[in-house]
Amino acid sequence: MLTAEDRFAITDLINLHGHMTDRGDFDELHAVFAEEVTYDVSALGGGILVGLTAYREAALALGDAHPVAHHVTNIVLDEAPDGTVRAASKGLGVMRDGSVGSVTYDDSIERTVAGWKITRRVVRPRRAPLRP
């Protein structure tokens, strides 16, 4: 069962990603992600990146097309019977021109000897409102 300390650590992990990205601190991605992370940005046209090196290279290649600010909200954690954690959260990206985009993050998180790490992230844009 997830303790309060686990929940705080995982929430901080998810929040740290935005700070690192906004600083361009891509050499420290290991603080958030497992070495062999699968980072799926296919819904954004970026394909599926495997490993920190592939993620770092893609992030650097994006350059000025990055949002100037990444904000994460609505973090919901659900522990699986095997001890892994599924985290669902919302992301807002503020662009240079002031426009804002919205995505959802679907993360798989595992406890490692170095602490909690994201092992898989799927990023999906929200481009249309809910249609009942």
Side-chain angles (χ1 to χ4, degrees):
M1 181 169 176
L2 287 176
T3 65
E5 290 80 16
D6 290 329
R7 289 181 173 281
F8 288 131
I10 293 168
T11 299
D12 282 352
L13 183 77
I14 294 167
N15 287 325
L16 180 58
H17 173 254
H19 289 283
M20 291 175 68
T21 301
D22 291 348
R23 288 191 309 258
D25 197 1
F26 301 117
D27 291 331
E28 297 299 317
L29 291 170
H30 59 84
V32 174
F33 297 100
E35 185 66 36
E36 291 304 316
V37 64
T38 301
Y39 201 93
D40 184 345
V41 285
S42 18
L44 296 169
I48 298 175
L49 310 169
V50 179
L52 291 180
T53 300
Y55 179 166
R56 181 183 181 281
E57 289 171 0
L60 290 171
L62 197 54
D64 287 343
H66 271 284
V68 297
H70 292 76
H71 302 280
V72 179
T73 67
N74 303 52
I75 298 170
V76 178
L77 305 178
D78 183 37
E79 185 178 19
D82 68 359
T84 61
V85 174
R86 178 179 178 270
S89 59
K90 302 284 188 172
L92 298 171
V94 180
M95 303 307 285
R96 181 179 291 199
D97 66 1
S99 62
V100 176
S102 177
V103 299
T104 58
Y105 295 118
D106 182 11
D107 296 333
S108 294
I109 302 169
E110 296 180 20
R111 187 190 312 266
T112 72
V113 293
W116 291 100
K117 300 293 178 190
I118 298 172
T119 57
R120 178 173 175 76
R121 171 169 275 185
V122 179
V123 184
R124 293 181 185 92
R126 291 279 303 164
R127 295 191 174 123
L130 175 66
R131 299 181 200 281

